[in-house]
Amino acid sequence: MPSLPHFGALCLLLLLRLWQTLGLAPLSFSCGRGARCRRPITASAALQWLGLLALSPLLLRESVALYATTNVKHSTLFRRIALATMAGDVGISLALLGAHIWQRQRLAQLLNGLVRLHRRTRLSWTATFLLCCKLLLSLYELLCNVPFLQQNAARLPWLQLLAYGVQLYVQHMSSVFGNGVFGALLLVLACIQQLELQWQQLAEEPGQQERLLRRERRLLLVCENFIRVFQLGIFLLVIGNFINILANMYAYMSYFVEQHGVPLTISNYCLIVAVQLYAMILATHLCQLRHTRLRRRCLELCYVPQELTQEQAMRPTPLLMWPVDGLKFSILGLFNLDNAFWLFLVSYAVNFIVIILQFTVEHSKR
């Protein structure tokens, strides 16, 4: 059995291989040479994207036909929400594949930067445990479709089975993308924690301070490249998952009022998607929080940022009053991924639930 730090490295390598298998990483990777772009791999990813784009209308139509051939009785509202959810998953997957093909050079540069960070820093046992839990949660989400296939696979036509398989493919693609982003954020968080620890140990050696500042500068460059490459995918993942949660909550309450039962499939889906979404937002919030602590530690050690001139540094004004650039995960300039944004999503969801409950109570009275 490998030791726990090496087990975390195996989990990260597994995520990278999953990205390559699903087409999210259209490049080659080896431990010696790193990530490199190759024309055959790029052409294969482009053909995969074009094929999925051409077959998406047919696959969506056949996926909706599944509800008519099974014995499960669903309302028209449930079918419309299911169609909208599937269309959203297909659209997000197409956008992710297209964006990564278009930015394959930057993606390769980002992966090489993360590999260099990982050579100096290993994931802690807590980060490895969280990453494994998230991978197992995605696996559980995929295995939830097994009972449906066991009950209906024998009497479904092959075209509908193919459409269902492609639906699972595009739905799992967004989950694998979220897992990869989460793993990269855990690695960045581990690097920040190691830098903070080294600042505490080497505070009195000026040469070591310069070395740590150079490492922090390289880390910020990797984070900047990370935001530039993944901001569109993160935006689509956050907005798409949030809309799916709201739509499935509406279907859950409608089903409860009409059928007087609890749909476990919908509740499990909402819970899994919400946990995965919060895990990514929490990881970005912790990265920003720990980097703020790291910068505060630098200021406590009389570190003068590059933005300050020597005359400004000699003034009696405290250094804590001077602005210092921090790590921020700004997505398309619209919002920052942190706990404040998560609270905004929760408050909006609560308002949505209250409005639905109000209309549901009025409908029940009539």
Side-chain angles (χ1 to χ4, degrees):
M1 291 292 293
S3 60
L4 200 54
H6 294 289
F7 188 72
L10 290 177
C11 291
L12 293 176
L13 183 60
L14 174 63
L15 278 173
L16 179 57
R17 297 308 182 190
L18 285 175
W19 274 46
Q20 290 180 309
T21 303
L22 296 179
L24 288 171
L27 40 84
S28 64
F29 178 81
S30 61
C31 296
R33 297 182 178 181
R36 301 176 63 185
C37 297
R38 296 188 178 274
R39 292 181 179 178
I41 299 178
T42 303
S44 176
L47 290 177
Q48 178 184 355
W49 184 82
L50 291 175
L52 185 59
L53 178 63
L55 295 177
S56 56
L58 176 63
L59 296 174
L60 287 175
R61 187 183 65 184
E62 294 298 328
S63 297
V64 174
L66 286 172
Y67 298 103
T69 57
T70 57
N71 293 327
V72 181
K73 296 181 179 179
H74 293 296
S75 63
T76 305
L77 175 64
F78 183 86
R79 294 180 181 178
R80 291 177 180 176
I81 291 178
L83 176 61
T85 303
M86 289 185 291
D89 291 336
V90 172
I92 291 174
S93 300
L94 287 173
L96 289 176
L97 289 175
H100 288 186
I101 293 173
W102 181 260
Q103 301 185 93
R104 60 190 181 277
Q105 296 287 349
R106 291 181 176 178
L107 180 60
Q109 182 182 359
L110 172 62
L111 290 177
N112 291 328
L114 291 174
V115 169
R116 287 191 293 269
L117 292 179
H118 189 265
R119 290 173 182 172
R120 296 178 175 271
T121 306
R122 300 289 181 176
L123 292 181
S124 63
W125 67 269
T126 305
T128 304
F129 175 76
L130 293 176
L131 183 59
C132 291
C133 288
K134 199 168 188 307
L135 292 175
L136 292 176
L137 186 63
S138 299
L139 180 62
Y140 172 74
E141 181 185 6
L142 186 62
L143 293 178
C144 285
N145 300 278
V146 173
F148 176 82
L149 292 175
Q150 290 178 346
Q151 296 175 4
N152 303 287
R155 54 192 180 85
L156 289 177
W158 68 270
L159 190 58
Q160 292 183 358
L161 287 177
L162 178 62
Y164 191 76
V166 175
Q167 175 191 346
L168 293 181
Y169 165 73
V170 297
Q171 187 177 8
H172 194 61
M173 183 183 297
S174 59
S175 178
V176 172
F177 173 78
N179 290 336
V181 171
F182 183 71
L185 290 173
L186 289 180
L187 181 59
V188 171
L189 181 61
C191 293
I192 295 175
Q193 292 175 345
Q194 186 182 35
L195 280 174
E196 186 178 0
L197 180 62
Q198 291 178 350
W199 268 104
Q200 295 176 359
Q201 296 175 350
L202 306 174
E204 298 180 355
E205 301 181 16
Q208 297 296 330
Q209 291 181 5
E210 294 179 2
R211 180 179 62 86
L212 294 179
L213 291 176
R214 286 195 300 268
R215 288 190 58 186
E216 181 186 357
R217 193 175 300 112
R218 289 194 294 266
L219 175 62
L220 292 179
L221 289 177
V222 172
C223 293
E224 183 181 355
N225 195 17
F226 174 88
I227 298 170
R228 187 185 304 113
V229 173
F230 291 148
Q231 60 179 348
L232 177 61
I234 294 176
F235 173 79
L236 294 175
L237 186 66
V238 171
I239 300 302
N241 286 340
F242 184 66
I243 293 177
N244 287 342
I245 290 174
L246 295 183
N248 281 275
M249 287 169 56
Y250 185 76
Y252 178 93
M253 295 182 182
S254 177
Y255 186 92
F256 180 79
V257 172
E258 295 180 1
Q259 305 293 334
H260 302 287
V262 178
L264 294 178
T265 304
I266 301 178
S267 59
N268 288 341
Y269 174 79
C270 292
L271 181 61
I272 291 173
V273 173
V275 170
Q276 291 182 345
L277 182 60
Y278 178 66
M280 184 177 63
I281 296 178
L282 180 62
T284 57
H285 175 74
L286 291 178
C287 288
Q288 295 171 91
L289 184 63
R290 295 306 294 262
H291 186 258
T292 302
R293 289 177 52 181
L294 176 63
R295 280 302 178 93
R296 188 181 299 116
R297 179 64 178 170
C298 295
L299 292 175
E300 290 175 354
L301 295 173
C302 298
Y303 157 57
V304 180
Q306 290 184 351
E307 291 81 1
L308 299 181
T309 62
Q310 189 66 26
E311 296 180 357
Q312 292 173 338
M314 295 301 293
R315 292 178 182 177
T317 307
L319 288 178
L320 290 175
M321 300 299 295
W322 292 101
V324 179
D325 293 336
L327 179 60
K328 292 184 179 180
F329 291 88
S330 179
I331 306 302
L332 297 177
L334 300 176
F335 54 84
N336 293 328
L337 282 182
D338 51 15
N339 272 358
F341 179 70
W342 174 253
L343 292 177
F344 167 76
L345 294 181
V346 171
S347 62
Y348 190 89
V350 170
N351 293 333
F352 183 77
I353 294 174
V354 171
I355 294 174
I356 293 177
L357 288 176
Q358 184 178 1
F359 282 101
T360 302
V361 171
E362 295 294 333
H363 178 72
S364 300
K365 289 181 180 179
R366 290 196 297 267

